[in-house]
Amino acid sequence: MRAARLIKMVLLLQSRPTMTASELARELEVSERTVTRDAQALSEAGVPVYAERGRAGGYRLVGGYRTRLTGLGRGEAEALFLGGVPGALREMGLEDVASAARLKVSAALLPSLRDAPRAAAQRFHLDAPAWFREPEAPALLPVIAEAVWDDRCVRARYRRGEEEVERELEPYGLVLKAGVWYLCARVPEGDVFRTYRLDRFLAAEPAQDRFLRDEEFDLPGFWATQAERFARSLLRAEVVVRLSEAGVRRLPYAVDPVAARDALADAGEPDGRGWATVSLRVESLEVAHTQLTALGPEAEVLAPAALREWFAADALRLAARYGSRES
């Protein structure tokens, strides 16, 4: 455990000019006192870790010290080769670069770990596109990907509804969601971050200028927030439902997970029979009918009246169907 932590500490210091004790403690998930002891242990082992005192001080490696990848364990080496989706790398024009990087890493591994790439490929394959659709990469994806890597501004023209819009964007990151590519970009005009579907881009021209990237920008966090906001924007109607204990457990699997989480969080105490009443946001009454049908007798719609009548009619039809003994 400590050996792995020491290796990670060296790699962190290789990747940054200087790191404070608090930064290292946060990355390594240990106390600052443990960081001090680990730095001393590395120094005693011949790794040139230098500690600078004072407000702007911290830890750094001296003399351009670099370590080889001989500290990788088998699990780490195998996981390393699962770092990307092959199809996505190909679509972004990065297949050759990624292949060269994998070869260099393989060459640096210990002989006993040289089979790690094959072992990982035999056991895991990441296929991102959704079912029942032919994946088609946007034609402008390689251009946008290169701009993202290079922190280069892009003049883009894209479809927004029935109109075409032209904007200068600072492309921060790309996201592949269920086979669809999205660009997360900052719009200098207004200083806001927005998300764009790449298949709606009609043109994209990289500019000569590079933008100064905000190093605090968190792409996974930004995407999670945007995705949840988008999911909520689709939920334009509300229904009131009583749920049995089984219905409560099954609700997140029947309706939108965000809507289910919100509804259950705001639900009151169950009644004497264990049934809870929730207010559930839904896309439409038609969608709610389809989704809540999956809960069967574990749910009772209370409102609106139109949806309750719809389920009542379904119940009468089911009773007639299953009550019939006709062959």
Side-chain angles (χ1 to χ4, degrees):
M1 186 71 177
R2 191 190 186 198
R5 191 175 70 240
L6 292 174
I7 292 170
K8 184 176 181 180
M9 184 174 179
V10 173
L11 294 174
L12 285 169
L13 292 174
Q14 278 186 193
S15 65
R16 307 179 199 179
T18 304
M19 292 187 72
T20 65
S22 62
E23 289 173 335
L24 284 167
R26 186 169 56 251
E27 291 281 355
L28 299 172
E29 299 180 350
V30 296
S31 67
E32 292 187 26
R33 181 174 296 180
T34 299
V35 168
T36 301
R37 288 198 298 264
D38 285 353
Q40 183 176 353
L42 287 171
S43 181
E44 292 172 355
V47 178
V49 178
Y50 179 71
E52 294 179 321
R53 307 273 181 196
R55 165 164 285 195
Y59 292 92
R60 64 185 178 88
L61 294 174
V62 296
Y65 179 85
R66 308 293 293 178
T67 184
R68 294 175 59 81
L69 292 175
T70 52
L72 286 176
R74 171 161 292 278
E76 295 168 326
E78 291 174 349
L80 188 62
F81 290 90
L82 295 175
V85 181
L89 292 171
R90 182 172 58 253
E91 291 170 2
M92 288 190 292
L94 299 174
E95 184 177 26
D96 291 342
V97 175
S99 177
R102 286 192 294 268
L103 284 174
K104 289 180 180 179
V105 172
S106 297
L109 291 174
L110 289 171
S112 60
L113 300 179
R114 296 282 166 79
D115 66 332
R118 183 175 59 84
Q122 285 177 333
R123 289 163 175 79
F124 301 99
H125 176 66
L126 308 180
D127 187 7
W131 286 103
F132 310 119
R133 60 176 294 172
E134 192 68 28
E136 184 176 343
L140 293 170
L141 176 58
V143 175
I144 298 294
E146 185 174 352
V148 169
W149 274 114
D150 208 23
D151 290 344
R152 193 173 294 278
C153 298
V154 170
R155 193 72 188 175
R157 183 163 50 89
Y158 61 93
R159 292 191 308 275
R160 187 173 65 187
E162 299 298 321
E163 62 176 342
E164 293 184 10
V165 179
E166 187 170 309
R167 280 230 165 81
E168 182 174 307
L169 303 174
E170 295 178 356
Y172 266 68
L174 287 164
V175 175
L176 178 61
K177 170 71 172 179
V180 179
W181 284 96
Y182 296 87
L183 172 67
C184 301
R186 177 179 171 272
V187 184
E189 181 184 349
D191 191 20
V192 293
F193 283 90
R194 290 181 180 156
T195 304
Y196 302 87
R197 277 186 62 141
L198 273 192
D199 56 8
R200 294 177 183 167
F201 275 48
L202 303 172
E205 182 180 351
Q208 293 298 319
D209 299 330
R210 289 184 171 88
F211 62 90
L212 184 61
R213 174 177 289 268
D214 180 0
E215 296 299 333
E216 299 298 318
F217 178 76
D218 174 19
L219 180 59
F222 174 78
W223 175 256
T225 300
Q226 291 292 101
E228 183 165 323
R229 185 178 300 164
F230 175 72
R232 291 182 191 278
S233 72
L234 297 177
L235 307 175
R236 302 184 179 93
E238 185 174 293
V239 300
V240 181
V241 188
R242 287 180 70 237
L243 299 168
S244 68
E245 293 180 7
V248 168
R249 290 194 302 270
R250 289 163 53 183
L251 185 67
Y253 304 98
V255 303
D256 179 83
V258 172
R261 186 176 69 237
D262 290 348
L264 295 175
D266 294 336
E269 291 295 322
D271 61 20
R273 298 171 53 200
W275 286 65
T277 300
V278 301
S279 295
L280 179 69
R281 300 291 298 176
V282 294
E283 189 172 342
S284 66
L285 295 188
E286 290 79 7
V287 171
H289 176 257
T290 300
Q291 293 175 331
L292 294 175
T293 295
L295 298 180
E298 307 304 329
E300 177 190 359
V301 173
L302 302 180
L307 185 59
R308 181 177 175 86
E309 291 170 4
W310 197 341
F311 274 98
D314 287 349
L316 290 173
R317 291 173 58 199
L318 284 169
R321 178 68 51 83
Y322 285 97
S324 173
R325 296 295 182 179
E326 297 179 5
S327 58

